[in-house]
């Protein structure tokens, strides 16, 4: 009998005991776990369950499996946060450290219904590979669990602890992906005890979280989930890959006052150093996934540039993905990005995130002229630049990747464009953005409750919440977002085919459109085909 089969039997046995204490106490293969009733709906919250342990001797490398609980685990407090600088959106100078290495924890949200084999939606938060957490204050599941699915959110390491690529077998890179894999394994092995169906897991994410979900489609490891949701992020995005850095350990140790040229001495020193010191010493670093060097006995997460990957884990996978209509509209309001408009070389800077164009001034000009007219009018340049940045970072990589995936056998691939403009558009609220349309992360306000956005009873917004969460939950349950026409969802959202690219526009109305941004996407098709030999990594 395989280990997996044995685990399934244990899981099935424990199902009999599920639901004790009104659903608060479950007996899972990981041990007994007691949750707490949700304050805002008919569901139970199991908070802060440890799914793995960071190795104290090597906090940058593989996590250690968590031992079985010997007494009931009280899952009543929110997950700790992994080490990071918490961004204060409105004033970067007041960013502050938060976190602990005892952070590999997950939350399980279970509706109080009799259903035994629910679809499970595992959500991966975004945060540019350096920050983020799974707290209720950012990702409250109330709107999603109403649809009788289980929602799982979890922490994983980011920054130096999650993305150091040191080119050694102990720190091969992409540790965050390995943490995530461990979390998904935990869900597969334990979710039956919560009334979930381990054969119906959906892994979804937003922004860098979506990029990491896409990363799971490229790994050689067996795929543990049946469906994937990619919101505004794929591995083809220009900010996905970065270089490896064999000197990282030695350099960071040096910054903290320990001069050495020996990698293992630096690792021992940094393992003892406080995570706060390590994070603060590396705030200037750009942490990203990397193409791993191959080592015997180490299964790589990213083995090649995703542009050349066949997507070996895509066969038989259902995928839902898309972007917002004005992804980059926030840049104008965000000091970190304002330089993109001012600097004469901002177009070069943008393109060079993905392509080496150092002797290609003509090419940069062609891109500039495709998007921006000769007219120097500030508002027009601004809108045109938003289009360029949005296409290059989000819309084109998403469409390119989904069209590639749609060619796989037995895969249904659904594309959306979110353009709704309401009172819960997340980024627009953070920055008081008055542009029309939807900018990056705006759709999250219609998926999750969050402290940032007070709940107001607005009937338009309420309908968008109902629509978006019903579409997503249908996909989690059935693998298709519109299995039947209803008053709420009076559309049929067709998947991509070899020669058609339909998309659902999520706005005040739901509309099926064809080939969003057709001519702009064709421009990038030609650009990519001509310059794939110039990829940076
Ligand atoms: C923890 O990391 C150290 C240093 O890399 C390694 O020697 C050890 O085997 C690791 N422990 C486990 C349980 O993997
Ligand atoms: C590290 O190597 C450099 C160059 O070889 C040398 O100058 C330096 O003294 C070495 N540092 C230590 C701490 O050994
Ligand atoms: C596609 O689905 C059919 C029927 O379920 C199955 O027999 C076949 O192996 C699948 N092919 C792939 C490549 O997944
Ligand atoms: C947004 O507007 C509100 C009310 O006008 C103001 O209190 C807040 O400081 C503004 N936020 C930003 C980031 O400008």
């Amino acid at each position: 009998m395989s280990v997996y089969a044995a685990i399934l039997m244990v899981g099935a046995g424990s199902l009999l005991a599920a639901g004790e204490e009104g659903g608060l106490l479950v007996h899972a293969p990981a041990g007994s776990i007691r949750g707490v009733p949700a304050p805002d709906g008919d569901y139970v919250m199991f908070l802060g369950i440890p799914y793995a342990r960071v190795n104290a001797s090597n906090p940058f490398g593989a996590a250690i499996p968590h031992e079985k609980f010997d007494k009931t685990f009280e899952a009543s407090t929110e997950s700790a946060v992994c080490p990071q600088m918490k961004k204060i959106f409105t004033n970067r100078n007041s960013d502050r450290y938060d976190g602990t290495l005892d952070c590999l924890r997950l939350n399980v949200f279970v509706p109080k219904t009799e259903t035994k084999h629910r679809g499970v939606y595992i959500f991966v938060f975004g945060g540019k590979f350096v920050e983020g957490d799974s707290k209720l204050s950012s990702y409250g599941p109330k709107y999603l669990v109403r649809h009788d699915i289980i929602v799982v959110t979890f922490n994983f390491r980011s920054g130096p602890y999650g993305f150091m690529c040191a080119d050694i077998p102990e720190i091969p890179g992409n540790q965050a992906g390995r943490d995530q894999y461990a979390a998904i394994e935990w869900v597969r092995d334990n979710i039956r005890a919560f009334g979930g169906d381990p054969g119906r897991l959906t892994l979804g994410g937003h922004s860098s979280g979506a990029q990491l979900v896409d990363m799971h489609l490229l790994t050689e490891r067996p795929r543990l989930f049946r469906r994937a949701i990619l919101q505004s992020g794929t591995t083809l995005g220009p900010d996905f890959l970065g270089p490896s850095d064999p000197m990282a350990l030695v350099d960071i140790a040096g910054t903290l006052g320990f001069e050495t040229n020996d990698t293992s001495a630096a690792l021992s020193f940094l393992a003892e150093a406080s995570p706060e010191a390590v994070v603060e010493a590396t705030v200037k670093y750009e942490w990203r996934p990397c193409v791993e060097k191959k080592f015997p006995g180490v299964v790589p997460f990213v083995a090649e540039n995703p542009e050349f990957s066949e997507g070996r884990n895509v066969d038989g996978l259902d995928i839902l993905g898309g972007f917002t209509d004005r992804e980059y509209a926030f840049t104008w309001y965000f000091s970190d990005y304002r330089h993109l408009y001012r600097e004469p070389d901002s177009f070069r800077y943008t393109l060079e995130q993905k392509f080496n164009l150092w002797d290609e001034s003509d090419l940069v000009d062609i891109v500039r002229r495709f998007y921006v007219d000769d007219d120097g009018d500030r508002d027009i340049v601004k809108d045109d630049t938003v289009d360029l940045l949005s296409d290059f970072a989000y819309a084109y990589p998403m469409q390119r990747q989904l069209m590639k995936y749609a060619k796989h056998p037995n895969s249904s691939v659904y594309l959306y464009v979110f353009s709704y403009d309401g009172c819960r558009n997340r980024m627009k609220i953070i920055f008081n953005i008055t542009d029309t349309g939807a900018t990056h992360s705006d759709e999250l306000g219609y998926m999750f409750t969050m402290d940032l956005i007070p709940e107001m009873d607005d009937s338009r917004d309420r309908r968008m919440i109902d629509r978006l969460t019903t579409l997503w939950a249908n996909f989690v349950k059935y693998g298709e977002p519109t299995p039947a026409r209803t008053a709420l969802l009076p559309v049929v959202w067709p998947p991509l085919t070899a020669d058609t690219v339909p998309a659902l526009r999520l706005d005040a109305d739901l509309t099926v459109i064809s080939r969003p941004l057709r001519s702009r996407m064709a421009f990038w098709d030609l650009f990519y085909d001509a310059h794939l030999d110039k990829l940076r990594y």
Side-chain angles (χ1 to χ4, degrees):
M1 184 164 53
S2 73
V3 174
Y4 185 30
I7 287 163
L8 282 182
M9 286 184 63
V10 175
S14 62
L15 188 64
L16 300 173
E20 273 179 36
E21 299 183 12
L24 293 185
L25 178 65
V26 299
H27 304 292
S32 298
I33 303 170
R34 184 183 286 111
V36 291
D40 62 352
D42 238 0
Y43 64 101
V44 177
M45 314 193 293
F46 299 86
L47 301 174
I49 307 171
Y51 64 87
R53 215 181 257 297
V54 171
N55 180 345
S57 314
N58 177 10
F60 308 96
I64 302 166
H66 203 279
E67 62 279 8
K68 193 177 162 164
F69 306 127
D70 51 12
K71 57 181 197 302
T72 299
F73 180 79
E74 299 295 340
S76 57
T77 16
E78 276 205 277
S79 313
V81 172
C82 288
Q84 60 189 280
M85 291 301 281
K86 279 272 173 215
K87 301 269 188 272
I88 308 301
F89 280 116
T90 43
N91 180 5
R92 274 299 154 89
N93 293 328
S94 51
D95 286 1
R96 64 185 161 74
Y97 173 82
D98 192 11
T100 160
L101 282 168
D102 176 18
C103 64
L104 301 182
R105 289 161 182 266
L106 50 77
N107 309 315
V108 182
F109 304 104
V110 184
K112 278 192 190 166
T113 55
E114 294 300 309
T115 318
K116 286 281 179 281
H117 303 287
R118 300 183 187 88
V120 181
Y121 181 23
I122 310 173
F123 182 80
V124 183
F125 58 75
K128 304 189 85 190
F129 308 123
V130 291
E131 59 164 335
D133 61 63
S134 57
K135 289 201 172 211
L136 287 163
S137 50
S138 312
Y139 299 104
K142 168 181 163 176
Y143 303 144
L144 285 160
V145 289
R146 291 178 308 161
H147 301 288
D148 206 15
I149 57 172
I150 291 181
V151 174
V152 177
T153 58
F154 67 102
N155 290 335
F156 51 88
R157 282 172 279 175
S158 59
Y161 296 106
F163 291 102
M164 183 184 291
C165 299
D167 281 351
I168 53 175
E170 297 84 2
I171 311 176
N174 310 316
Q175 184 50 50
R178 294 175 163 83
D179 288 352
Q180 292 166 0
Y181 200 83
I184 306 164
E185 282 181 312
W186 193 97
V187 173
R188 177 198 65 187
D189 296 345
N190 291 282
I191 205 66
R192 214 175 265 274
F194 296 84
D197 177 356
R200 245 181 336 149
L201 307 184
T202 297
L203 186 67
H206 172 256
S207 195
S208 59
Q211 295 186 294
L212 295 169
V213 170
D214 195 25
M215 183 169 90
H216 285 265
L217 309 188
L218 312 178
T219 169
E220 287 166 34
R221 287 149 196 261
R223 192 183 79 218
L224 305 177
F225 49 93
R226 181 144 154 213
R227 293 168 189 138
I229 299 180
L230 306 172
Q231 292 174 226
S232 301
T234 73
T235 55
L236 304 187
D239 56 349
F240 181 69
L241 283 182
S244 64
D245 182 3
M247 295 307 289
L249 287 167
V250 162
D251 288 348
I252 301 167
T255 308
L256 293 178
F258 182 73
E259 298 293 340
T260 178
N261 285 336
D262 177 54
T263 306
S264 17
L267 175 55
S268 306
F269 170 79
L270 292 175
E272 295 291 326
S274 83
E276 178 165 7
V278 172
V279 167
E280 279 179 354
T282 58
V283 278
K284 293 271 182 296
Y285 287 53
E286 218 170 37
W287 297 106
R288 289 183 181 184
C290 64
V291 176
E292 288 171 43
K293 230 176 155 167
K294 294 189 178 50
F295 301 102
V298 180
V299 182
F301 235 93
V302 181
E304 61 193 335
N305 187 307
E307 284 290 349
F308 304 116
S309 167
E310 288 168 20
R312 66 180 76 237
N313 266 330
V314 174
D315 290 357
L317 181 76
D318 298 320
I319 303 172
L320 185 158
F323 49 89
T324 69
D325 67 328
R326 303 280 293 158
E327 288 276 0
Y328 252 98
F330 68 90
T331 54
W332 197 250
Y333 299 81
F334 196 175
S335 60
D336 287 23
Y337 290 91
R338 239 170 252 150
H339 68 279
L340 286 176
Y341 302 91
R342 285 207 207 100
E343 285 171 17
D345 266 352
S346 65
F347 285 80
R348 170 182 296 280
Y349 166 85
T350 299
L351 294 169
E352 284 192 340
Q353 298 216 1
K354 178 135 183 164
F355 296 98
N356 275 315
L357 299 175
W358 41 274
D359 56 355
E360 302 278 356
S361 301
D362 292 356
L363 210 50
V364 178
D365 264 352
I366 288 170
V367 174
R368 187 198 320 271
R369 289 306 161 217
F370 181 76
Y371 279 92
V372 182
D373 201 351
D374 296 336
D375 191 335
D377 182 285
R378 198 163 172 263
D379 285 335
I380 295 175
V381 171
K382 175 192 147 191
D383 280 348
D384 291 343
T385 311
V386 165
D387 285 344
L388 162 72
L389 297 172
S390 305
D391 290 355
F392 189 67
Y394 298 108
Y396 182 68
M398 179 62 70
Q399 292 205 43
R400 182 177 176 83
Q401 191 72 315
L402 292 190
M403 284 163 79
K404 195 161 132 188
Y405 288 163
K407 296 197 183 94
H408 282 256
N410 298 356
S411 287
S412 299
V413 177
Y414 299 91
L415 173 66
Y416 73 85
V417 182
F418 183 92
S419 53
Y420 178 71
D421 198 349
C423 302
R424 297 187 61 85
N425 287 40
R426 180 175 175 271
M427 188 78 92
K428 288 175 74 168
I429 288 177
I430 297 176
F431 294 110
N432 285 345
I433 296 175
T434 51
D435 297 39
T436 53
T439 181
H440 190 60
S441 90
D442 275 354
E443 81 278 18
L444 292 180
Y446 304 91
M447 286 179 73
F448 296 103
T449 57
M450 51 188 75
D451 286 0
L452 192 69
I453 311 178
E455 285 201 79
M456 285 189 296
D457 207 14
D458 178 287
S459 60
R460 265 177 95 235
D461 288 353
R462 164 70 42 199
R463 194 174 53 170
M464 178 47 72
I465 292 169
D466 289 345
R467 282 182 162 165
L468 193 143
T469 55
T470 306
L471 290 163
W472 266 227
N474 280 345
F475 181 75
V476 168
K477 288 191 247 187
Y478 314 116
E480 45 181 325
T482 51
R485 266 179 214 269
T486 61
L488 183 68
L489 302 175
V491 287
V492 176
W493 178 0
L496 309 196
T497 67
D499 8 74
T500 59
V501 183
L504 183 70
R505 181 160 44 214
L506 285 139
D507 207 319
D509 294 310
L510 302 177
T511 329
V512 175
I513 58 175
S514 168
R515 290 197 187 264
L517 311 172
R518 186 177 64 210
S519 49
R520 277 148 57 179
M521 296 301 105
F523 172 82
W524 289 110
D525 272 336
L526 294 172
F527 185 99
Y528 267 60
D529 284 352
H531 303 297
L532 266 189
D533 59 328
K534 301 188 183 73
L535 286 176
R536 254 183 94 174
Y537 300 109

